[in-house]
Amino acid sequence: MATAAAASLVADASNGSTTYDRMKAIKEFDEAKIGVKGLSDSGADTIPEYFRHPQSSLSDLKPVRTSTAKGIPVIDLSSLNDLAQRPKIVQQVKDAAKTWGFFQVVNHGVPTSVLDSTLEAVKNFHELPQEVKSKYYKRQELGGVAYTSNNDLYRSSAASWHDYIQAWLSPVPLNEEDLPEVCRKEVVAWNGHVKGVGEAVMEVLSEGLGLDKGKFKELSFPDIRLFVGSYYPYCPQSDLTLGLTSHTDPGVVTVLLPNEVKGLQIRHDGEWVEIEPVPGRLIVNVGDLLQIVSNGEYSSVEHRVVANGSKEPRVSAIVFFNLYRWREGDVYGPLPELVSAERPAIYRDFTKEEFNSNFYSKGLDSKSLVDKIKIVN
């Protein structure tokens, strides 16, 4: 039944009729609760119109360099607790966060078995029978556990070819029973390990700004954690859409665990660089909020995922870290310790309401809040 519904959605949304109602087609797709996995499984050789991106967004998909050739930083954390070696690691992370906004970490302390089981659990959830998986389908962005396709489906100008399951891990403790059984113990285990990685990286990032290593934790930067298990199935017209629209992450820091299927690209020096997925490595990137609070010392970087033209699905497990305790009056901005006469604030303070409305009122985009609050002299 799910396959028949998917085929009907593809046919209805790709007929090229002048009476095509985009929002109606999106709503039908959403209410079918089949995700792009259902569309892919239908065997259709075309994608619905609302997944098709403008040519301006697709013209530079092919000519990219790989991270291996370009030299995206790979940082070894094995000596992090060695007082003699730590300053070197701090400098490496600082340089990477400033010039790339992305880096990979090795010897991060998470067992290979945990990495493998986490990715397998995400894959297993997305490959559940539709009638089982659809019970978790809901368009719920704040709190709890939800499975859906495209968090910005109704807000974006074009949908992207991916599904995901998300779970808010903190600050409200996750009710483990709300997680699907097929991935429950793995997500819980991953939360414990990735929290440690995130906190260790944030200590180093704090030191890189000349602050005490515990400053970011004191400011509650690791205290909101959102888990997202993404799934990018085969796309029959991968040259007409994207797996994930180009954007920057709004929060503090993101930690990403990918499988071995390529797709993630970051913009560096005006060109797209493809990150080569290497087993055992975690990918860390700077969010918009960290760029702002660091007064521009660190930089969030535009990134995207190309649509998957491979029969093997691209799978990733992501945790987004964000601050919990806002300042009095629910405002935030560059940290006072990083503002001086020699380096005045380059961003104004902004409110929590401004931060949330900027993200939830539109589709994914790049640095819109950063640009909005930049002080123009």
PDB file of all heavy atoms in Angstrom, residues 114-150:
ATOM      1  N   VAL A 114      30.670   1.142  19.290  1.00  0.00           N
ATOM      2  CA  VAL A 114      29.594   2.104  19.515  1.00  0.00           C
ATOM      3  C   VAL A 114      29.297   2.888  18.251  1.00  0.00           C
ATOM      4  O   VAL A 114      28.133   3.113  17.892  1.00  0.00           O
ATOM      5  CB  VAL A 114      29.954   3.059  20.674  1.00  0.00           C
ATOM      6  CG1 VAL A 114      28.919   4.191  20.791  1.00  0.00           C
ATOM      7  CG2 VAL A 114      30.048   2.300  21.984  1.00  0.00           C
ATOM      8  N   LEU A 115      30.342   3.295  17.541  1.00  0.00           N
ATOM      9  CA  LEU A 115      30.153   4.009  16.280  1.00  0.00           C
ATOM     10  C   LEU A 115      29.361   3.151  15.295  1.00  0.00           C
ATOM     11  O   LEU A 115      28.386   3.616  14.679  1.00  0.00           O
ATOM     12  CB  LEU A 115      31.507   4.386  15.667  1.00  0.00           C
ATOM     13  CG  LEU A 115      32.448   5.243  16.503  1.00  0.00           C
ATOM     14  CD1 LEU A 115      33.759   5.480  15.748  1.00  0.00           C
ATOM     15  CD2 LEU A 115      31.809   6.571  16.873  1.00  0.00           C
ATOM     16  N   ASP A 116      29.786   1.908  15.160  1.00  0.00           N
ATOM     17  CA  ASP A 116      29.138   1.002  14.199  1.00  0.00           C
ATOM     18  C   ASP A 116      27.690   0.716  14.583  1.00  0.00           C
ATOM     19  O   ASP A 116      26.794   0.725  13.723  1.00  0.00           O
ATOM     20  CB  ASP A 116      29.921  -0.307  14.107  1.00  0.00           C
ATOM     21  CG  ASP A 116      31.288  -0.134  13.471  1.00  0.00           C
ATOM     22  OD1 ASP A 116      31.518   0.909  12.829  1.00  0.00           O
ATOM     23  OD2 ASP A 116      32.122  -1.045  13.613  1.00  0.00           O
ATOM     24  N   SER A 117      27.460   0.455  15.858  1.00  0.00           N
ATOM     25  CA  SER A 117      26.106   0.100  16.285  1.00  0.00           C
ATOM     26  C   SER A 117      25.162   1.293  16.195  1.00  0.00           C
ATOM     27  O   SER A 117      23.967   1.134  15.923  1.00  0.00           O
ATOM     28  CB  SER A 117      26.123  -0.466  17.712  1.00  0.00           C
ATOM     29  OG  SER A 117      26.578   0.497  18.645  1.00  0.00           O
ATOM     30  N   THR A 118      25.686   2.501  16.400  1.00  0.00           N
ATOM     31  CA  THR A 118      24.853   3.701  16.289  1.00  0.00           C
ATOM     32  C   THR A 118      24.370   3.878  14.858  1.00  0.00           C
ATOM     33  O   THR A 118      23.171   4.103  14.606  1.00  0.00           O
ATOM     34  CB  THR A 118      25.628   4.953  16.737  1.00  0.00           C
ATOM     35  OG1 THR A 118      26.068   4.781  18.091  1.00  0.00           O
ATOM     36  CG2 THR A 118      24.762   6.196  16.639  1.00  0.00           C
ATOM     37  N   LEU A 119      25.284   3.777  13.905  1.00  0.00           N
ATOM     38  CA  LEU A 119      24.899   3.927  12.496  1.00  0.00           C
ATOM     39  C   LEU A 119      23.960   2.806  12.055  1.00  0.00           C
ATOM     40  O   LEU A 119      22.989   3.046  11.323  1.00  0.00           O
ATOM     41  CB  LEU A 119      26.147   3.944  11.615  1.00  0.00           C
ATOM     42  CG  LEU A 119      27.020   5.200  11.703  1.00  0.00           C
ATOM     43  CD1 LEU A 119      28.303   5.015  10.917  1.00  0.00           C
ATOM     44  CD2 LEU A 119      26.251   6.433  11.195  1.00  0.00           C
ATOM     45  N   GLU A 120      24.223   1.608  12.514  1.00  0.00           N
ATOM     46  CA  GLU A 120      23.372   0.476  12.154  1.00  0.00           C
ATOM     47  C   GLU A 120      21.971   0.661  12.721  1.00  0.00           C
ATOM     48  O   GLU A 120      20.972   0.333  12.065  1.00  0.00           O
ATOM     49  CB  GLU A 120      23.988  -0.822  12.668  1.00  0.00           C
ATOM     50  CG  GLU A 120      23.282  -2.086  12.189  1.00  0.00           C
ATOM     51  CD  GLU A 120      23.380  -2.319  10.692  1.00  0.00           C
ATOM     52  OE1 GLU A 120      24.283  -1.733  10.039  1.00  0.00           O
ATOM     53  OE2 GLU A 120      22.546  -3.076  10.160  1.00  0.00           O
ATOM     54  N   ALA A 121      21.875   1.183  13.931  1.00  0.00           N
ATOM     55  CA  ALA A 121      20.566   1.403  14.558  1.00  0.00           C
ATOM     56  C   ALA A 121      19.756   2.452  13.801  1.00  0.00           C
ATOM     57  O   ALA A 121      18.545   2.296  13.608  1.00  0.00           O
ATOM     58  CB  ALA A 121      20.747   1.826  16.010  1.00  0.00           C
ATOM     59  N   VAL A 122      20.419   3.534  13.374  1.00  0.00           N
ATOM     60  CA  VAL A 122      19.726   4.562  12.582  1.00  0.00           C
ATOM     61  C   VAL A 122      19.227   3.963  11.276  1.00  0.00           C
ATOM     62  O   VAL A 122      18.074   4.174  10.863  1.00  0.00           O
ATOM     63  CB  VAL A 122      20.664   5.761  12.306  1.00  0.00           C
ATOM     64  CG1 VAL A 122      20.001   6.738  11.322  1.00  0.00           C
ATOM     65  CG2 VAL A 122      21.026   6.484  13.599  1.00  0.00           C
ATOM     66  N   LYS A 123      20.073   3.187  10.632  1.00  0.00           N
ATOM     67  CA  LYS A 123      19.696   2.536   9.370  1.00  0.00           C
ATOM     68  C   LYS A 123      18.533   1.577   9.595  1.00  0.00           C
ATOM     69  O   LYS A 123      17.564   1.559   8.814  1.00  0.00           O
ATOM     70  CB  LYS A 123      20.897   1.785   8.801  1.00  0.00           C
ATOM     71  CG  LYS A 123      20.678   1.104   7.456  1.00  0.00           C
ATOM     72  CD  LYS A 123      22.012   0.542   6.945  1.00  0.00           C
ATOM     73  CE  LYS A 123      21.870  -0.081   5.562  1.00  0.00           C
ATOM     74  NZ  LYS A 123      21.198  -1.391   5.609  1.00  0.00           N
ATOM     75  N   ASN A 124      18.602   0.807  10.658  1.00  0.00           N
ATOM     76  CA  ASN A 124      17.544  -0.174  10.939  1.00  0.00           C
ATOM     77  C   ASN A 124      16.203   0.506  11.180  1.00  0.00           C
ATOM     78  O   ASN A 124      15.157  -0.011  10.766  1.00  0.00           O
ATOM     79  CB  ASN A 124      17.923  -1.029  12.145  1.00  0.00           C
ATOM     80  CG  ASN A 124      19.023  -2.022  11.838  1.00  0.00           C
ATOM     81  OD1 ASN A 124      19.309  -2.306  10.675  1.00  0.00           O
ATOM     82  ND2 ASN A 124      19.665  -2.543  12.871  1.00  0.00           N
ATOM     83  N   PHE A 125      16.232   1.659  11.856  1.00  0.00           N
ATOM     84  CA  PHE A 125      14.965   2.357  12.067  1.00  0.00           C
ATOM     85  C   PHE A 125      14.356   2.781  10.729  1.00  0.00           C
ATOM     86  O   PHE A 125      13.173   2.546  10.469  1.00  0.00           O
ATOM     87  CB  PHE A 125      15.137   3.593  12.958  1.00  0.00           C
ATOM     88  CG  PHE A 125      13.903   4.459  12.946  1.00  0.00           C
ATOM     89  CD1 PHE A 125      12.792   4.102  13.693  1.00  0.00           C
ATOM     90  CD2 PHE A 125      13.829   5.578  12.126  1.00  0.00           C
ATOM     91  CE1 PHE A 125      11.628   4.860  13.644  1.00  0.00           C
ATOM     92  CE2 PHE A 125      12.667   6.341  12.073  1.00  0.00           C
ATOM     93  CZ  PHE A 125      11.563   5.982  12.834  1.00  0.00           C
ATOM     94  N   HIS A 126      15.145   3.413   9.897  1.00  0.00           N
ATOM     95  CA  HIS A 126      14.619   3.940   8.635  1.00  0.00           C
ATOM     96  C   HIS A 126      14.196   2.835   7.672  1.00  0.00           C
ATOM     97  O   HIS A 126      13.409   3.086   6.752  1.00  0.00           O
ATOM     98  CB  HIS A 126      15.643   4.869   7.978  1.00  0.00           C
ATOM     99  CG  HIS A 126      15.747   6.207   8.648  1.00  0.00           C
ATOM    100  ND1 HIS A 126      14.794   7.184   8.501  1.00  0.00           N
ATOM    101  CD2 HIS A 126      16.684   6.719   9.496  1.00  0.00           C
ATOM    102  CE1 HIS A 126      15.134   8.249   9.205  1.00  0.00           C
ATOM    103  NE2 HIS A 126      16.272   7.985   9.825  1.00  0.00           N
ATOM    104  N   GLU A 127      14.688   1.633   7.904  1.00  0.00           N
ATOM    105  CA  GLU A 127      14.319   0.525   7.028  1.00  0.00           C
ATOM    106  C   GLU A 127      13.263  -0.381   7.653  1.00  0.00           C
ATOM    107  O   GLU A 127      12.998  -1.471   7.134  1.00  0.00           O
ATOM    108  CB  GLU A 127      15.583  -0.239   6.632  1.00  0.00           C
ATOM    109  CG  GLU A 127      16.506   0.639   5.782  1.00  0.00           C
ATOM    110  CD  GLU A 127      17.778  -0.041   5.312  1.00  0.00           C
ATOM    111  OE1 GLU A 127      18.029  -1.193   5.739  1.00  0.00           O
ATOM    112  OE2 GLU A 127      18.529   0.574   4.527  1.00  0.00           O
ATOM    113  N   LEU A 128      12.630   0.084   8.729  1.00  0.00           N
ATOM    114  CA  LEU A 128      11.491  -0.631   9.283  1.00  0.00           C
ATOM    115  C   LEU A 128      10.337  -0.639   8.278  1.00  0.00           C
ATOM    116  O   LEU A 128      10.238   0.250   7.423  1.00  0.00           O
ATOM    117  CB  LEU A 128      11.008   0.054  10.564  1.00  0.00           C
ATOM    118  CG  LEU A 128      11.819  -0.129  11.845  1.00  0.00           C
ATOM    119  CD1 LEU A 128      11.279   0.809  12.929  1.00  0.00           C
ATOM    120  CD2 LEU A 128      11.778  -1.581  12.317  1.00  0.00           C
ATOM    121  N   PRO A 129       9.424  -1.612   8.388  1.00  0.00           N
ATOM    122  CA  PRO A 129       8.216  -1.565   7.555  1.00  0.00           C
ATOM    123  C   PRO A 129       7.486  -0.244   7.770  1.00  0.00           C
ATOM    124  O   PRO A 129       7.447   0.285   8.887  1.00  0.00           O
ATOM    125  CB  PRO A 129       7.397  -2.749   8.067  1.00  0.00           C
ATOM    126  CG  PRO A 129       8.403  -3.687   8.654  1.00  0.00           C
ATOM    127  CD  PRO A 129       9.469  -2.810   9.244  1.00  0.00           C
ATOM    128  N   GLN A 130       6.908   0.273   6.706  1.00  0.00           N
ATOM    129  CA  GLN A 130       6.288   1.586   6.776  1.00  0.00           C
ATOM    130  C   GLN A 130       5.209   1.687   7.856  1.00  0.00           C
ATOM    131  O   GLN A 130       5.095   2.687   8.553  1.00  0.00           O
ATOM    132  CB  GLN A 130       5.691   1.956   5.410  1.00  0.00           C
ATOM    133  CG  GLN A 130       5.216   3.389   5.314  1.00  0.00           C
ATOM    134  CD  GLN A 130       6.332   4.376   5.614  1.00  0.00           C
ATOM    135  OE1 GLN A 130       7.467   4.193   5.193  1.00  0.00           O
ATOM    136  NE2 GLN A 130       6.022   5.426   6.368  1.00  0.00           N
ATOM    137  N   GLU A 131       4.431   0.624   8.020  1.00  0.00           N
ATOM    138  CA  GLU A 131       3.345   0.679   8.994  1.00  0.00           C
ATOM    139  C   GLU A 131       3.871   0.763  10.429  1.00  0.00           C
ATOM    140  O   GLU A 131       3.179   1.267  11.330  1.00  0.00           O
ATOM    141  CB  GLU A 131       2.419  -0.535   8.849  1.00  0.00           C
ATOM    142  CG  GLU A 131       3.075  -1.889   9.057  1.00  0.00           C
ATOM    143  CD  GLU A 131       3.668  -2.473   7.776  1.00  0.00           C
ATOM    144  OE1 GLU A 131       3.867  -1.695   6.807  1.00  0.00           O
ATOM    145  OE2 GLU A 131       3.920  -3.690   7.746  1.00  0.00           O
ATOM    146  N   VAL A 132       5.092   0.303  10.651  1.00  0.00           N
ATOM    147  CA  VAL A 132       5.713   0.403  11.976  1.00  0.00           C
ATOM    148  C   VAL A 132       6.329   1.786  12.164  1.00  0.00           C
ATOM    149  O   VAL A 132       6.118   2.467  13.172  1.00  0.00           O
ATOM    150  CB  VAL A 132       6.779  -0.693  12.165  1.00  0.00           C
ATOM    151  CG1 VAL A 132       7.481  -0.536  13.518  1.00  0.00           C
ATOM    152  CG2 VAL A 132       6.161  -2.075  12.041  1.00  0.00           C
ATOM    153  N   LYS A 133       7.086   2.199  11.175  1.00  0.00           N
ATOM    154  CA  LYS A 133       7.818   3.466  11.253  1.00  0.00           C
ATOM    155  C   LYS A 133       6.880   4.670  11.303  1.00  0.00           C
ATOM    156  O   LYS A 133       7.156   5.661  12.000  1.00  0.00           O
ATOM    157  CB  LYS A 133       8.747   3.551  10.036  1.00  0.00           C
ATOM    158  CG  LYS A 133       9.724   4.684  10.050  1.00  0.00           C
ATOM    159  CD  LYS A 133      10.756   4.535   8.938  1.00  0.00           C
ATOM    160  CE  LYS A 133      10.125   4.396   7.567  1.00  0.00           C
ATOM    161  NZ  LYS A 133      11.120   4.424   6.484  1.00  0.00           N
ATOM    162  N   SER A 134       5.761   4.601  10.585  1.00  0.00           N
ATOM    163  CA  SER A 134       4.856   5.745  10.486  1.00  0.00           C
ATOM    164  C   SER A 134       4.229   6.125  11.820  1.00  0.00           C
ATOM    165  O   SER A 134       3.737   7.249  11.987  1.00  0.00           O
ATOM    166  CB  SER A 134       3.756   5.469   9.463  1.00  0.00           C
ATOM    167  OG  SER A 134       2.937   4.398   9.877  1.00  0.00           O
ATOM    168  N   LYS A 135       4.245   5.214  12.798  1.00  0.00           N
ATOM    169  CA  LYS A 135       3.694   5.528  14.121  1.00  0.00           C
ATOM    170  C   LYS A 135       4.468   6.657  14.797  1.00  0.00           C
ATOM    171  O   LYS A 135       3.949   7.332  15.694  1.00  0.00           O
ATOM    172  CB  LYS A 135       3.720   4.284  15.007  1.00  0.00           C
ATOM    173  CG  LYS A 135       2.821   3.152  14.524  1.00  0.00           C
ATOM    174  CD  LYS A 135       2.988   1.900  15.378  1.00  0.00           C
ATOM    175  CE  LYS A 135       2.156   0.741  14.831  1.00  0.00           C
ATOM    176  NZ  LYS A 135       2.371  -0.506  15.609  1.00  0.00           N
ATOM    177  N   TYR A 136       5.714   6.843  14.377  1.00  0.00           N
ATOM    178  CA  TYR A 136       6.550   7.883  14.971  1.00  0.00           C
ATOM    179  C   TYR A 136       6.554   9.160  14.140  1.00  0.00           C
ATOM    180  O   TYR A 136       7.182  10.145  14.522  1.00  0.00           O
ATOM    181  CB  TYR A 136       7.990   7.372  15.129  1.00  0.00           C
ATOM    182  CG  TYR A 136       8.094   6.199  16.060  1.00  0.00           C
ATOM    183  CD1 TYR A 136       8.038   4.887  15.576  1.00  0.00           C
ATOM    184  CD2 TYR A 136       8.221   6.386  17.433  1.00  0.00           C
ATOM    185  CE1 TYR A 136       8.113   3.802  16.433  1.00  0.00           C
ATOM    186  CE2 TYR A 136       8.307   5.301  18.294  1.00  0.00           C
ATOM    187  CZ  TYR A 136       8.245   4.019  17.791  1.00  0.00           C
ATOM    188  OH  TYR A 136       8.311   2.948  18.653  1.00  0.00           O
ATOM    189  N   TYR A 137       5.870   9.131  13.012  1.00  0.00           N
ATOM    190  CA  TYR A 137       5.913  10.269  12.087  1.00  0.00           C
ATOM    191  C   TYR A 137       5.104  11.428  12.652  1.00  0.00           C
ATOM    192  O   TYR A 137       3.916  11.304  12.921  1.00  0.00           O
ATOM    193  CB  TYR A 137       5.362   9.878  10.714  1.00  0.00           C
ATOM    194  CG  TYR A 137       5.663  10.888   9.623  1.00  0.00           C
ATOM    195  CD1 TYR A 137       6.733  10.698   8.756  1.00  0.00           C
ATOM    196  CD2 TYR A 137       4.884  12.023   9.468  1.00  0.00           C
ATOM    197  CE1 TYR A 137       7.018  11.610   7.750  1.00  0.00           C
ATOM    198  CE2 TYR A 137       5.167  12.952   8.466  1.00  0.00           C
ATOM    199  CZ  TYR A 137       6.227  12.732   7.617  1.00  0.00           C
ATOM    200  OH  TYR A 137       6.515  13.657   6.621  1.00  0.00           O
ATOM    201  N   LYS A 138       5.754  12.548  12.827  1.00  0.00           N
ATOM    202  CA  LYS A 138       5.067  13.754  13.287  1.00  0.00           C
ATOM    203  C   LYS A 138       5.923  14.970  12.944  1.00  0.00           C
ATOM    204  O   LYS A 138       7.150  14.880  12.875  1.00  0.00           O
ATOM    205  CB  LYS A 138       4.796  13.700  14.792  1.00  0.00           C
ATOM    206  CG  LYS A 138       6.022  13.615  15.664  1.00  0.00           C
ATOM    207  CD  LYS A 138       5.685  13.434  17.139  1.00  0.00           C
ATOM    208  CE  LYS A 138       5.256  12.023  17.430  1.00  0.00           C
ATOM    209  NZ  LYS A 138       5.152  11.755  18.891  1.00  0.00           N
ATOM    210  N   ARG A 139       5.262  16.075  12.712  1.00  0.00           N
ATOM    211  CA  ARG A 139       5.979  17.309  12.416  1.00  0.00           C
ATOM    212  C   ARG A 139       6.143  18.081  13.720  1.00  0.00           C
ATOM    213  O   ARG A 139       5.416  19.008  14.025  1.00  0.00           O
ATOM    214  CB  ARG A 139       5.220  18.115  11.365  1.00  0.00           C
ATOM    215  CG  ARG A 139       6.121  19.143  10.694  1.00  0.00           C
ATOM    216  CD  ARG A 139       5.752  19.349   9.258  1.00  0.00           C
ATOM    217  NE  ARG A 139       6.074  18.177   8.440  1.00  0.00           N
ATOM    218  CZ  ARG A 139       7.299  17.838   8.029  1.00  0.00           C
ATOM    219  NH1 ARG A 139       8.324  18.576   8.358  1.00  0.00           N
ATOM    220  NH2 ARG A 139       7.485  16.770   7.288  1.00  0.00           N
ATOM    221  N   GLN A 140       7.124  17.638  14.510  1.00  0.00           N
ATOM    222  CA  GLN A 140       7.347  18.178  15.848  1.00  0.00           C
ATOM    223  C   GLN A 140       8.809  18.553  15.983  1.00  0.00           C
ATOM    224  O   GLN A 140       9.686  17.693  15.985  1.00  0.00           O
ATOM    225  CB  GLN A 140       6.974  17.120  16.883  1.00  0.00           C
ATOM    226  CG  GLN A 140       7.281  17.481  18.322  1.00  0.00           C
ATOM    227  CD  GLN A 140       6.863  16.370  19.264  1.00  0.00           C
ATOM    228  OE1 GLN A 140       5.720  15.938  19.262  1.00  0.00           O
ATOM    229  NE2 GLN A 140       7.813  15.883  20.053  1.00  0.00           N
ATOM    230  N   GLU A 141       9.088  19.838  16.080  1.00  0.00           N
ATOM    231  CA  GLU A 141      10.481  20.277  16.090  1.00  0.00           C
ATOM    232  C   GLU A 141      11.039  20.485  17.493  1.00  0.00           C
ATOM    233  O   GLU A 141      12.248  20.420  17.695  1.00  0.00           O
ATOM    234  CB  GLU A 141      10.619  21.563  15.277  1.00  0.00           C
ATOM    235  CG  GLU A 141      10.333  21.356  13.789  1.00  0.00           C
ATOM    236  CD  GLU A 141      10.583  22.587  12.961  1.00  0.00           C
ATOM    237  OE1 GLU A 141      11.739  22.795  12.569  1.00  0.00           O
ATOM    238  OE2 GLU A 141       9.633  23.347  12.714  1.00  0.00           O
ATOM    239  N   LEU A 142      10.189  20.779  18.455  1.00  0.00           N
ATOM    240  CA  LEU A 142      10.672  21.084  19.801  1.00  0.00           C
ATOM    241  C   LEU A 142      10.213  20.024  20.795  1.00  0.00           C
ATOM    242  O   LEU A 142       9.026  19.868  21.044  1.00  0.00           O
ATOM    243  CB  LEU A 142      10.169  22.463  20.237  1.00  0.00           C
ATOM    244  CG  LEU A 142      10.728  23.655  19.445  1.00  0.00           C
ATOM    245  CD1 LEU A 142      10.016  24.941  19.835  1.00  0.00           C
ATOM    246  CD2 LEU A 142      12.230  23.793  19.669  1.00  0.00           C
ATOM    247  N   GLY A 143      11.164  19.274  21.344  1.00  0.00           N
ATOM    248  CA  GLY A 143      10.865  18.313  22.386  1.00  0.00           C
ATOM    249  C   GLY A 143      10.464  16.942  21.882  1.00  0.00           C
ATOM    250  O   GLY A 143       9.872  16.796  20.822  1.00  0.00           O
ATOM    251  N   GLY A 144      10.825  15.924  22.673  1.00  0.00           N
ATOM    252  CA  GLY A 144      10.384  14.570  22.392  1.00  0.00           C
ATOM    253  C   GLY A 144      11.107  13.877  21.258  1.00  0.00           C
ATOM    254  O   GLY A 144      12.203  14.247  20.858  1.00  0.00           O
ATOM    255  N   VAL A 145      10.450  12.842  20.744  1.00  0.00           N
ATOM    256  CA  VAL A 145      10.994  12.004  19.672  1.00  0.00           C
ATOM    257  C   VAL A 145      10.078  12.098  18.464  1.00  0.00           C
ATOM    258  O   VAL A 145       8.852  12.062  18.602  1.00  0.00           O
ATOM    259  CB  VAL A 145      11.088  10.534  20.139  1.00  0.00           C
ATOM    260  CG1 VAL A 145      11.538   9.627  18.995  1.00  0.00           C
ATOM    261  CG2 VAL A 145      12.044  10.410  21.321  1.00  0.00           C
ATOM    262  N   ALA A 146      10.655  12.237  17.285  1.00  0.00           N
ATOM    263  CA  ALA A 146       9.836  12.340  16.078  1.00  0.00           C
ATOM    264  C   ALA A 146      10.616  11.839  14.876  1.00  0.00           C
ATOM    265  O   ALA A 146      11.831  12.006  14.782  1.00  0.00           O
ATOM    266  CB  ALA A 146       9.390  13.781  15.840  1.00  0.00           C
ATOM    267  N   TYR A 147       9.896  11.213  13.948  1.00  0.00           N
ATOM    268  CA  TYR A 147      10.435  10.826  12.647  1.00  0.00           C
ATOM    269  C   TYR A 147       9.692  11.633  11.594  1.00  0.00           C
ATOM    270  O   TYR A 147       8.466  11.797  11.683  1.00  0.00           O
ATOM    271  CB  TYR A 147      10.248   9.329  12.421  1.00  0.00           C
ATOM    272  CG  TYR A 147      10.007   8.903  10.980  1.00  0.00           C
ATOM    273  CD1 TYR A 147      10.986   9.072  10.006  1.00  0.00           C
ATOM    274  CD2 TYR A 147       8.787   8.324  10.605  1.00  0.00           C
ATOM    275  CE1 TYR A 147      10.755   8.676   8.688  1.00  0.00           C
ATOM    276  CE2 TYR A 147       8.559   7.921   9.302  1.00  0.00           C
ATOM    277  CZ  TYR A 147       9.536   8.105   8.348  1.00  0.00           C
ATOM    278  OH  TYR A 147       9.300   7.724   7.056  1.00  0.00           O
ATOM    279  N   THR A 148      10.409  12.180  10.634  1.00  0.00           N
ATOM    280  CA  THR A 148       9.743  12.935   9.581  1.00  0.00           C
ATOM    281  C   THR A 148      10.696  13.116   8.403  1.00  0.00           C
ATOM    282  O   THR A 148      11.808  12.596   8.401  1.00  0.00           O
ATOM    283  CB  THR A 148       9.244  14.300  10.107  1.00  0.00           C
ATOM    284  OG1 THR A 148       8.316  14.859   9.182  1.00  0.00           O
ATOM    285  CG2 THR A 148      10.377  15.277  10.330  1.00  0.00           C
ATOM    286  N   SER A 149      10.278  13.878   7.426  1.00  0.00           N
ATOM    287  CA  SER A 149      11.105  14.210   6.269  1.00  0.00           C
ATOM    288  C   SER A 149      11.167  15.722   6.161  1.00  0.00           C
ATOM    289  O   SER A 149      10.128  16.382   6.140  1.00  0.00           O
ATOM    290  CB  SER A 149      10.494  13.624   4.986  1.00  0.00           C
ATOM    291  OG  SER A 149      11.318  13.899   3.875  1.00  0.00           O
ATOM    292  N   ASN A 150      12.380  16.286   6.149  1.00  0.00           N
ATOM    293  CA  ASN A 150      12.559  17.730   5.989  1.00  0.00           C
ATOM    294  C   ASN A 150      11.907  18.533   7.117  1.00  0.00           C
ATOM    295  O   ASN A 150      10.698  18.759   7.115  1.00  0.00           O
ATOM    296  CB  ASN A 150      11.959  18.218   4.665  1.00  0.00           C
ATOM    297  CG  ASN A 150      12.777  17.855   3.449  1.00  0.00           C
ATOM    298  OD1 ASN A 150      13.453  18.692   2.864  1.00  0.00           O
ATOM    299  ND2 ASN A 150      12.721  16.589   3.049  1.00  0.00           N
TER     300      ASN A 150
END
